Amino acid sequence: MKILIKDGQLIDPSQEINEVRNLLLSDGKINGYPSDTKELEMDSSVQVIDASGKVVSPGFIDLHVHLREPGFEHKETIRTGCLAAAAGGFTSVVCMPNTNPVNDNASVTEYILLKARTEGVVNVFPVGAITKGQKGQALAEIGEMREAGCVAISDDGRPVMNSRVMRHAMEYAKAFELPVISHAEDLNLSSDGVMNDGFTSTILGLRGIPNASEEIIVARDITLGELTGTHLHIAHVSTAGAVRLIRDAKKRGVKVTGEATPHHFTLNDKAVLNYDTSTKVNPPIRSREDMEAIREGLKDGVLDIIATDHAPHTEDEKKVEFDLAPFGISGLETALPLALRLVEDRILTLTELIRKLTFNPAQIIIRSNRGTLKPGAPADVVIFDPNKTVKVDRDKFFSKGRNTPFHGWRLSGQILYTIVGGEIVFSA
Amino acid sequence: MDSETITRALSRIAHEILERNKGAKELRIIGIRTRGIHIARRLADKIQELEGIKPPLGTLDITLYRDDFRRKTDWPSVQKTEIAFSVEEKNVILVDDVLYTGRTTRAAIDAIMDYGRPDFIQLAVLVDRGGHRELPIQADYVGTRVMTVRTQKVEVLIKELDGRDEVIILQLGSPNEAR
Amino acid sequence: MVFEQKHILGLEELSSDEIRLILDTAESMKEVSERDVKKVPALKGVTVVNLFFEPSTRTRASFEIAEKRLSADVLNFTPTESSVVKGETLLDTARNLEAMGASVIVIRHSMSGAPWLLARELSSSIVNAGDGFHEHPSQALLDLFTVREIKKEISGLKIVIVGDILHSRVARSNIWGFIKLGAEVRVVGPPTMIPRDIEKVDVKVHYNIENALEGVDIVMMLRLQKERQESGLFPSLREYSRFYGLTRERLGLAKADVIVMHPGPINRGVELSSEVADDMHSVILNQVSNGIAVRMAMLYLVASGGGSG
């Protein structure tokens, strides 16, 4: 099975390519860039895709999704989550361990990978829990999870509050060369907060989560990163202070990377003003100044990657009092058009943007030859039209989670084809 | 009707009220907002001129008693009702500018009854538009009777509000505008 | 002027003209309450549901009397703990009530924004009878009404709100109301109880009660919830009342004709000394009867106003 993608604008930041080139995929791998395609086009076993005027790039990699399976299949399954990923142009997703049971041992990891192989349409890379049951006390069997296929460990959703436990986790992870992904939140300071602490929360009478809640733990984990030398990845950075802490740490040579989500670089907390629970997310959507700082962090490279923190919930779960609604935004299917606004706003070039969606995440967590179009690499490719206007319609999502604050938005950027291992898994 | 005929009609009504109620002693005069208030005041003044007693004067807003609540179009805001006296066992003269369907009067009677039990309620109007009554209501004292069709509108102009006294009949453009 | 709002969710959403219209209408309603027959047929045939998720004898009774004086059919629905445990959502409960014919729903809820959820999802008119820490429009409107009755004009007055502003819906609604009608608003309390960035709504923040009382026309005392002590926002009732309690002596710093208000119930000896509490008794009772008139006006205006019916 061969696919020839003709005349597309090929953008591959891993090789600094940005030009019109043909791309040939065969046997699930990137084959090369044939300039003469006459013979291939005559061959009936070659599928030809005309990509003229479109962008062809490595498939996107999302380092932060919640697939909800096992345990919360009413919100999402590995199958629906993978379909949503494919529709969003993602060929690989990294899934967080806060399932039920928690992914804190090899058997859960194996279950997830088995499900992904049989039902999923994109590559799934599980993240293991730091502590058993995500309780923040005893270390999980990190080595066995690594053997079973976990690519990182994280406390996402239920942060480790005990600094000694976090220190040991980071030390221990070094033996298995696993990065530690930190959900930076001081739970005592967040208390029962439901949105950003500031003017808007004052007006709405909602309990606030202060920026300090994130920054204290970012500072702690950077300090522990310096102590242990373990690669630390800060998930969903939401505050200006956190960007500053990561910037300073990078300057000192600490092994730390940072991620930003589309909702944090697109919205500010005024979006919450009518108590729309689809804007309820953790960390919360912050002030305009914080949003600008995230954009600045993406621009100057402090924030290495863009990830969605795709967190699907059902409509019934979200159609309740703001205090009762679960945190989370269904993000896979709106990521590209929201990210393209960074290009429109001249924060990033298209190449820089694609790097943060492909090569950087591959380097940081997956550490294999993905996120690139080098010959021999897996044929994970996305073709998109950056200029086509789309109207976000949550009712057309592949994800079970329709919880998006972007419903009805008109945005530019449409995914045309998503190809995983040489197979077309999504076409518009 | 011009200013002179209006003054003459009110003077006649004042006489009729005094005759029928055997003087001004038990009289309580209540004007219905908005124009009825001014007509009521003139009647009270006239009665004082004739009898030497000024009957207590009240104003009534019937908005809260209307029966077309859920058919609102241009809904007036609620104004204050001021009745600073008891109506118990008194002869209440309700005063309005125009009697048309009778619905305003019905509302006004209901309102007065909530203030107590008068011996009599009598109705005085400047203009009685015949032929369109929707309730069994009639005026006791009438300035003038006019026969109109529904596409016409009777407008009472009052010096205190409009700068001059006059009753005019307008032809409305479309039947839908008729009230 | 016609009232165009379908709901009354908070004073933040209302224009100064709309607030004045409610107060003017309340004056007419107050006259109804002074009659022998305290009833008008204005809302005959309209079903109003009082949906109170939080116990509140006073507000609920006041709304109920207001509804009955307007001849509405009244249904009181007080969900018990058990029905919440049974898992019925707020929206399902409210939809059921709407199916029974409710066209106005008066809701009290412990969570901010709950009335917004109903306004968005239902077709009834929603009247907010207090939501979480967010707004309590009927209380603020009656406070405005009472002040206007005594002082005639609100514009130019100086008001200070004292106490736990952070957790007070009464404070938030009053801040909007008094600012919109042209008063100067100050707040004072321990910094742990002053919400973030409140000065951005043109409120002056004080931490010292003596400074805050200087030259004010109105002092509004908030009720101190004792459980705030457990969450560490102040050390003890004794210390709180020493630094933020209103005494006769402190009241001397305000204007001579100062009005003291309190949404009740009062913690005597905590936010108010007993002597001050006794002095202000008349205003409190006045507030109760004004509360009925204001709530009649609110109900009448939403039921007759924009979009409903």
Side-chain angles (χ1 to χ4, degrees):
Chain A
M1 180 67 190
K2 290 181 181 175
I3 298 174
L4 172 65
I5 302 165
K6 260 190 70 186
D7 299 333
Q9 182 74 22
L10 200 77
I11 303 183
D12 180 8
S14 75
Q15 308 178 78
E16 315 252 316
I17 297 172
N18 183 358
E19 63 188 32
V20 176
R21 265 201 211 185
N22 302 316
L23 179 66
L24 181 65
L25 314 177
S26 71
D27 302 323
K29 302 242 184 300
I30 306 286
N31 180 290
Y33 320 106
S35 45
D36 182 3
T37 59
K38 268 193 198 120
E39 241 172 72
L40 285 163
E41 284 179 73
M42 304 283 277
D43 185 344
S44 64
S45 73
V46 177
Q47 183 178 351
V48 180
I49 296 171
D50 176 12
S52 54
K54 313 292 190 281
V55 174
V56 179
S57 86
F60 304 147
I61 298 170
D62 191 342
L63 290 192
H64 200 135
V65 305
H66 297 269
L67 293 178
R68 303 296 189 208
E69 191 176 357
F72 305 103
E73 288 85 353
H74 61 290
K75 295 175 194 272
E76 193 84 291
T77 61
I78 288 173
R79 167 133 192 102
T80 57
C82 283
L83 289 170
F90 293 94
T91 54
S92 296
V93 295
V94 171
C95 62
M96 289 298 159
N98 58 340
T99 47
N100 185 22
V102 168
N103 183 15
D104 62 358
N105 64 74
S107 65
V108 178
T109 309
E110 281 159 9
Y111 173 84
I112 293 168
L113 286 170
L114 175 70
K115 276 273 180 177
R117 265 197 307 279
T118 53
E119 297 176 13
V121 297
V122 302
N123 309 303
V124 173
F125 298 95
V127 172
I130 293 177
T131 56
K132 288 196 177 107
Q134 285 198 308
K135 291 197 164 71
Q137 293 154 5
L139 286 189
E141 291 163 345
I142 293 167
E144 282 196 5
M145 289 193 291
R146 160 81 196 187
E147 274 183 0
C150 279
V151 292
I153 54 169
S154 175
D155 55 358
D156 194 57
R158 291 176 72 182
V160 174
M161 280 298 95
N162 185 323
S163 303
R164 183 179 51 78
V165 173
M166 195 63 172
R167 175 207 173 159
H168 290 156
M170 289 176 78
E171 281 175 340
Y172 191 79
K174 239 186 344 184
F176 304 97
E177 293 177 21
L178 283 178
V180 174
I181 302 176
S182 163
H183 169 126
E185 180 182 9
D186 182 328
L187 295 178
N188 288 312
L189 204 45
S190 292
S191 187
D192 36 16
V194 294
M195 69 168 295
N196 182 45
D197 189 38
F199 182 62
T200 307
S201 65
T202 288
I203 299 296
L204 291 175
L206 290 172
R207 292 182 182 88
I209 300 173
N211 286 22
S213 173
E214 175 164 327
E215 289 153 11
I216 284 169
I217 301 298
V218 169
R220 180 197 74 172
D221 289 354
I222 285 173
T223 309
L224 292 174
E226 280 183 286
L227 178 70
T228 61
T230 305
H231 174 193
L232 173 70
H233 178 69
I234 308 288
H236 43 52
V237 172
S238 77
T239 77
V243 174
R244 200 161 50 234
L245 287 163
I246 298 168
R247 183 179 290 124
D248 293 348
K250 281 188 163 184
K251 272 186 199 148
R252 289 202 306 279
V254 182
K255 253 169 92 179
V256 59
T257 49
E259 107 194 358
T261 73
H263 47 271
H264 287 121
F265 65 65
T266 305
L267 299 173
N268 66 70
D269 65 359
K270 287 202 164 51
V272 186
L273 272 176
N274 59 352
Y275 296 97
D276 179 356
T277 56
S278 75
T279 63
K280 184 175 172 184
V281 64
N282 189 14
I285 292 162
R286 300 285 187 185
S287 70
R288 177 165 285 281
E289 293 72 41
D290 290 306
M291 186 193 82
E292 297 296 348
I294 304 278
R295 291 175 152 232
E296 189 56 37
L298 283 165
K299 190 185 174 92
D300 68 9
V302 169
L303 301 176
D304 307 83
I305 68 136
I306 291 169
T308 63
D309 192 7
H310 176 74
H313 295 288
T314 66
E315 197 174 343
D316 283 349
E317 289 168 320
K318 278 284 195 179
K319 253 190 194 175
V320 293
E321 296 87 326
F322 199 89
D323 284 339
L324 298 181
F327 291 100
I329 288 174
S330 179
L332 282 168
E333 290 165 81
T334 52
L336 175 72
L338 291 170
L340 283 169
R341 285 160 58 110
L342 298 172
V343 177
E344 198 180 310
D345 296 346
R346 298 177 184 279
I347 309 289
L348 299 175
T349 65
L350 187 54
T351 306
E352 287 166 341
L353 173 66
I354 291 172
R355 175 185 285 272
K356 287 182 197 290
L357 283 166
T358 59
F359 191 57
N360 285 359
Q363 293 293 300
I364 287 169
I365 301 291
I366 301 176
R367 291 169 300 161
S368 63
N369 58 343
R370 294 193 191 269
T372 174
L373 297 178
K374 278 185 190 147
D380 293 351
V381 181
V382 62
I383 306 173
F384 63 93
D385 181 347
N387 302 315
K388 175 81 189 279
T389 302
V390 291
K391 189 176 172 195
V392 177
D393 183 354
R394 61 181 170 217
D395 299 320
K396 296 205 171 115
F397 278 8
F398 285 85
S399 170
K400 286 190 181 181
R402 274 87 208 268
N403 45 311
T404 175
F406 303 109
H407 179 66
W409 284 38
R410 284 186 177 282
L411 299 166
S412 292
Q414 186 190 25
I415 303 293
L416 301 171
Y417 290 92
T418 305
I419 300 167
V420 176
E423 303 267 340
I424 296 174
V425 296
F426 173 82
S427 64
Chain B
M1 265 177 126
D2 59 15
S3 171
E4 217 169 292
T5 38
I6 288 173
T7 307
R8 240 181 278 135
L10 290 178
S11 170
R12 171 174 52 78
I13 291 172
H15 278 100
E16 285 173 12
I17 289 171
L18 287 171
E19 185 179 359
R20 186 155 153 196
N21 294 282
K22 301 182 176 66
K25 214 171 141 241
E26 303 298 322
L27 284 183
R28 300 291 181 269
I29 301 194
I30 295 176
I32 300 174
R33 276 186 188 274
T34 307
R35 285 184 166 65
I37 296 173
H38 301 285
I39 299 169
R41 184 175 303 123
R42 290 198 207 172
L43 277 175
D45 289 345
K46 190 74 202 170
I47 287 165
Q48 183 181 25
E49 198 184 306
L50 297 170
E51 283 287 298
I53 302 172
K54 183 161 186 178
L57 192 61
T59 64
L60 182 63
D61 181 88
I62 56 108
T63 312
L64 294 171
Y65 289 83
R66 285 174 69 145
D67 60 5
D68 52 354
F69 182 62
R70 259 158 302 283
R71 290 196 228 161
K72 53 160 175 101
T73 42
D74 194 9
W75 200 245
S77 40
V78 185
Q79 302 287 321
K80 229 173 164 175
T81 289
E82 286 164 295
I83 300 177
F85 45 80
S86 164
V87 296
E88 207 69 31
E89 296 174 17
K90 298 292 180 248
N91 298 357
V92 170
I93 313 295
L94 264 180
V95 183
D96 205 354
D97 55 349
V98 181
L99 174 60
Y100 180 33
T101 61
R103 289 183 189 272
T104 301
T105 311
R106 192 281 308 159
I109 292 169
D110 281 353
I112 301 284
M113 300 302 270
D114 283 351
Y115 283 85
R117 186 181 182 282
D119 279 352
F120 299 96
I121 298 179
Q122 296 160 11
L123 176 64
V125 296
L126 191 57
V127 181
D128 180 355
R129 285 185 74 176
H132 306 294
R133 209 75 81 237
E134 293 167 6
L135 297 171
I137 280 169
Q138 62 178 23
D140 300 272
Y141 314 101
V142 175
T144 182
R145 275 176 229 277
V146 292
M147 290 307 288
T148 55
V149 290
R150 280 191 182 274
T151 55
Q152 290 172 323
K153 184 184 175 189
V154 174
E155 209 165 82
V156 175
L157 303 180
I158 291 283
K159 214 185 301 165
E160 293 89 326
L161 294 174
D162 312 300
R164 64 194 159 104
D165 284 347
E166 195 180 352
V167 175
I168 41 181
I169 297 175
L170 298 166
Q171 185 67 45
L172 295 172
S174 87
N176 294 337
E177 283 178 39
R179 302 221 301 180
Chain C
M1 176 183 174
V2 178
F3 194 74
E4 306 262 351
Q5 302 283 346
K6 181 178 175 185
H7 314 289
I8 297 180
L9 301 177
L11 264 59
E12 190 201 347
E13 284 80 17
L14 297 177
S15 68
S16 53
D17 281 343
E18 284 166 337
I19 293 171
R20 279 190 206 99
L21 177 62
I22 296 172
L23 300 181
D24 292 347
T25 307
E27 275 181 36
S28 307
M29 297 301 181
K30 189 167 182 180
E31 185 273 326
V32 171
S33 298
E34 285 160 359
R35 301 181 194 169
D36 289 340
V37 179
K38 301 179 197 321
K39 202 179 186 80
V40 289
L43 296 195
K44 212 156 79 182
V46 175
T47 301
V48 182
V49 175
N50 298 316
L51 180 56
F52 275 58
F53 287 88
E54 256 187 355
S56 156
T57 329
R58 301 212 272 177
T59 306
R60 200 192 53 69
S62 180
F63 266 108
E64 187 173 345
I65 293 170
E67 288 146 10
K68 287 181 169 163
R69 287 193 180 163
L70 292 169
S71 305
D73 294 323
V74 181
L75 174 65
N76 289 310
F77 193 81
T78 311
T80 54
E81 289 285 332
S82 74
S83 77
V84 177
V85 172
K86 275 176 198 158
E88 189 172 56
T89 64
L90 166 60
L91 211 47
D92 283 341
T93 304
R95 281 199 183 114
N96 261 303
L97 294 168
E98 196 169 68
M100 290 176 201
S103 50
V104 180
I105 296 177
V106 178
I107 178 177
R108 158 70 65 97
H109 200 289
S110 63
M111 292 176 194
S112 303
W116 266 249
L117 178 66
L118 300 193
R120 213 169 21 235
E121 299 289 335
L122 302 184
S123 54
S124 307
S125 284
I126 308 297
V127 174
N128 182 2
D131 65 322
F133 311 144
H134 177 235
E135 284 227 36
H136 192 346
S138 67
Q139 177 69 44
L141 286 163
L142 92 84
D143 290 338
L144 290 166
F145 186 84
T146 305
V147 169
R148 197 173 80 159
E149 226 176 27
I150 299 168
K151 300 278 186 190
K152 305 300 172 225
E153 178 62 59
I154 285 172
S155 177
L157 294 179
K158 291 191 177 81
I159 175 170
V160 62
I161 306 178
V162 186
D164 183 1
I165 314 292
L166 180 63
H167 298 100
S168 175
R169 53 190 172 217
V170 174
R172 280 178 181 72
S173 286
N174 269 304
I175 287 170
W176 290 120
F178 277 95
I179 286 179
K180 287 184 183 198
L181 296 192
E184 179 194 312
V185 181
R186 305 173 187 173
V187 297
V188 61
T192 46
M193 295 178 172
I194 303 290
R196 283 274 304 272
D197 295 343
I198 187 74
E199 61 280 357
K200 285 192 191 164
V201 286
D202 218 7
V203 165
K204 287 200 188 101
V205 176
H206 291 266
Y207 302 127
N208 175 299
I209 192 169
E210 275 91 9
N211 295 345
L213 283 168
E214 195 78 53
V216 297
D217 301 275
I218 306 148
V219 182
M220 183 172 290
M221 301 302 296
L222 300 174
R223 184 180 157 78
L224 184 73
Q225 305 285 336
K226 289 175 185 162
E227 60 264 27
R228 304 292 170 223
Q229 186 182 342
E230 285 141 43
S231 46
L233 297 185
F234 66 94
S236 67
L237 290 176
R238 201 177 69 87
E239 175 151 321
Y240 179 87
S241 92
R242 234 196 97 193
F243 288 96
Y244 294 101
L246 188 64
T247 58
R248 249 187 208 159
E249 210 181 345
R250 282 180 173 154
L251 203 49
L253 297 163
K255 287 208 181 130
D257 59 350
V258 66
I259 310 174
V260 180
M261 304 180 98
H262 191 296
I266 296 172
N267 292 313
R268 272 175 188 262
V270 181
E271 65 260 9
L272 288 176
S273 72
S274 263
E275 51 193 30
V276 176
D278 291 337
D279 290 350
M280 61 182 281
H281 210 63
S282 61
V283 178
I284 291 179
L285 290 185
N286 205 6
Q287 273 176 295
V288 173
S289 72
N290 286 347
I292 296 166
V294 163
R295 291 181 175 106
M296 285 171 78
M298 292 168 73
L299 291 161
Y300 174 78
L301 289 170
V302 293
S304 68
S308 80

